[in-house]
Amino acid sequence: MEQELQQCISLDGNSLTTADLVSLGKGLVKIKLTPEAEEHIKRSREVVDDIIAQNKVVYGINTGFGKHADKVISKEKLKELQKNLVFSHAAGVGNPLSPERTRMLLALRINVLAKGHSGISLEAVYTMIEAFNTSCLSFVPEKGTVGASGDLAPLSHLALGLMGEGKMWSPKTGWGEAKSVLEAHGLKPLSLKAKEGLALINGTQMITSLGAEAVERALAIARQADIIAALTLEVLKGTTKAFHSDIHAVRPHPGQNLVAWRFRSVLDSDVFCSEITEKHRPKQRVQDAYSLRCSPQVHGVANDTIAFVKNIISTEMNSATDNPLVFPERGLIISGGNFHGEYPAKALDYLAIGMHELASISERRIERLCNPSLSELPAFLVNEGGLNSGFMIAHCTAAALVSENKVLCHPSSVDSLSTSAATEDHVSMGGWAARKALRVVEHVEQVLAIELLAACQALEFHRPLKTTPPLEEVHQLMRSVVRPWDSDRFMNPDIEASHKLLREKKVWEAVHPYMEQYRERHGPNPSEQGEDMSQLFCSK
């Protein structure tokens, strides 16, 4: 996939990344097709046109759908067939996807069509691209897909707006009737030809686009979780012995070794001096509680989970997932089951479970920060306790989020309800898997935002002593948006400000130059030797 000055991404159906898709969701980059993709789409459409001209009976082109697959539709009613398909399948409910997520959904559907196995016309894809580039976005309810014959309901709503039906939104018009929004941007509604309705609505793009966002956010917070935990270890006067490279070399899970390396990169006293560590070195504990000592093991498997899920989602993003599929090089149209959402559904259930542990162990560290019998700091990290409650209820919020995650981590994809008159008799429930994975990741971000606030507050009680330079950068970053907790005040804005720093990856950006210094002196972590690992875990 080529990029031109970061202003336009050329889609070819084969090389879109999760980071690309999230970037497209922000509406700052336009899309176009590669010449090869245009040729693939045209050749695929020619196969469909030949079938119609020869009066062949092929599922999805001139038959009914699902249980009605044995019903042959006359040539003069093929356009009506496709229109009826979209209308009837646009049966979703609930709040609409945000503009960002709708852009991702639309871009991903275009990328799949660019593979040239869907039988849609090039003109229809151009219409979709024009809608994306002007941010004319359909009203797509978030609920209604079982992730079996793809995400039929949400993708039908996506198609409905492009046809000038239902509602659309754009930055220029806000919400309005789809036809009016399109007209305001000089666009004509999409008029469906044979097979084009099915080509638009059959696929796993809602599961996968939401999954791409979940993966990218998970990657960002997992990186920063290590930095936050290191700061907590420091203010609790913990020992760094548990992060020694020899320990982790004999249990060579990539994520575990990566996290231990990150801890060393911001805590190694040979590279970065800490006045706090030096003062308390004579009384340093032999070992710490598991929430501190076992961070590489617990955080590590979360990192390995992200790597696994990212691979599944990246493959799914660049796969032909509709039905039937057109193979123009052989003139064939073949019905199959690539629309089944089990792959992304299972992967996103796994992501939720893996990411939950980052919040679970973080909540235990927050407890240690707030509990004076464990921290040797003022109760709830505030002076004049009693008059002030400090971080007492911030910790309760973290506990509440962790408890909610425990319910959300129940896998969606172990469930199945037979639909479509037992034709779709095994379904993935991938839409819910994706939506709740995103909720779990957001809760992880919020719990770690609370830990970051608490750790920075705990550092105030060690002053005038300083921690290591990279962790001082983190403290300075926090103090640029949140002042020290001298007495009780409205807590929520502080949590929101901390969460915003993490969403914007500011903590990672603050320490990354120091980690590079450490790398130059001690070399990379063994798990980062491969190019893929380096791109996943170490790029800025």
Side-chain angles (χ1 to χ4, degrees), residues 465-520:
L465 300 179
K466 290 188 175 182
T467 181
T468 66
L471 296 181
E472 284 291 335
E473 286 284 347
V474 174
H475 179 264
Q476 184 177 346
L477 173 67
M478 176 59 71
R479 291 293 167 252
S480 70
V481 295
V482 174
R483 69 182 190 275
W485 196 271
D486 298 322
S487 60
D488 281 353
R489 61 176 185 266
F490 187 15
M491 173 67 81
N492 172 265
D494 289 0
I495 297 174
E496 292 295 330
S498 181
H499 186 201
K500 187 171 185 287
L501 291 178
L502 296 177
R503 282 297 311 274
E504 295 177 352
K505 309 174 188 177
K506 296 296 185 183
V507 170
W508 179 255
E509 292 174 2
V511 301
H512 193 265
Y514 295 93
M515 297 173 81
E516 290 301 314
Q517 291 179 35
Y518 182 82
R519 187 188 311 280
E520 291 172 6

Side-chain angles (χ1 to χ4, degrees), residues 14 20-21 48 51 67 82 114 129 145 198 212 214 220 270 274 314 318 353 358 381 403 429 432 441 476:
N14 299 308
D20 288 333
L21 190 58
V48 175
I51 287 171
K67 203 71 173 177
Q82 299 300 311
I129 291 173
T145 176
L198 190 59
D270 291 338
S274 165
S314 297
N318 295 288
I353 293 168
L358 293 181
L381 301 173
S403 182
M429 298 300 179
W432 177 221
V441 171
Q476 184 177 346

Side-chain angles (χ1 to χ4, degrees), residues 286-353:
V286 175
Q287 61 183 23
D288 294 303
Y290 287 5
S291 61
L292 301 172
R293 192 194 337 163
C294 299
S295 290
Q297 290 79 5
V298 177
H299 288 206
V301 72
N303 281 271
D304 288 337
T305 300
I306 296 167
F308 173 81
V309 175
K310 186 181 178 79
N311 182 62
I312 295 287
I313 295 299
S314 297
T315 299
E316 190 76 5
M317 285 171 53
N318 295 288
S319 297
T321 57
D322 46 325
N323 183 61
L325 292 173
V326 182
F327 297 91
E329 65 278 5
R330 295 192 296 279
L332 295 176
I333 294 185
I334 309 174
S335 291
N338 277 6
F339 47 64
H340 202 292
E342 197 74 12
Y343 262 100
K346 277 285 186 286
L348 291 168
D349 279 338
Y350 182 33
L351 182 69
I353 293 168

Side-chain angles (χ1 to χ4, degrees), residues 131-172:
F132 178 91
N133 289 340
T134 53
S135 282
C136 291
L137 306 172
S138 304
F139 183 103
V140 181
E142 64 180 2
K143 300 177 184 179
T145 176
V146 294
S149 191
D151 294 316
L152 290 172
L155 287 173
S156 294
H157 283 276
L158 186 73
L160 197 66
L162 297 170
M163 294 163 58
E165 303 286 348
K167 296 180 181 179
M168 289 190 99
W169 176 92
S170 81
K172 178 179 177 180

Side-chain angles (χ1 to χ4, degrees), residues 97-267:
L97 297 178
S98 67
E100 292 80 7
R101 290 173 180 170
T102 308
R103 280 193 201 95
M104 291 173 65
L105 179 64
L106 179 56
L108 187 54
R109 190 62 205 161
I110 294 169
N111 186 63
V112 171
L113 295 173
K115 293 185 73 67
H117 293 291
S118 300
I120 196 169
S121 67
L122 189 58
E123 292 75 20
V125 180
Y126 285 157
T127 298
M128 298 173 73
I129 291 173
E130 288 175 344
F132 178 91
N133 289 340
T134 53
S135 282
C136 291
L137 306 172
S138 304
F139 183 103
V140 181
E142 64 180 2
K143 300 177 184 179
T145 176
V146 294
S149 191
D151 294 316
L152 290 172
L155 287 173
S156 294
H157 283 276
L158 186 73
L160 197 66
L162 297 170
M163 294 163 58
E165 303 286 348
K167 296 180 181 179
M168 289 190 99
W169 176 92
S170 81
K172 178 179 177 180
T173 64
W175 284 108
E177 295 301 316
K179 187 175 182 180
S180 299
V181 174
L182 291 171
E183 287 177 352
H185 292 271
L187 304 180
K188 293 182 179 179
L190 183 61
S191 178
L192 300 179
K193 296 191 282 290
K195 197 186 182 297
E196 291 193 324
L198 190 59
L200 290 174
I201 73 171
N202 213 207
T204 62
Q205 281 66 60
M206 178 167 165
I207 305 171
T208 311
S209 59
L210 295 182
E213 180 187 342
V215 163
E216 286 299 308
R217 289 175 66 173
L219 175 57
I221 194 59
R223 288 170 168 171
Q224 295 173 110
D226 300 340
I227 311 307
I228 296 167
L231 179 56
T232 296
L233 178 97
E234 174 79 348
V235 297
L236 292 177
K237 299 177 289 187
T239 176
T240 60
K241 293 176 182 177
F243 313 121
H244 196 286
S245 59
D246 288 350
I247 293 175
H248 303 282
V250 296
R251 197 191 192 198
H253 293 296
Q256 176 178 329
N257 277 267
L258 168 70
V259 173
W261 183 91
R262 285 184 185 154
F263 269 74
R264 295 194 299 274
S265 74
V266 296
L267 291 171

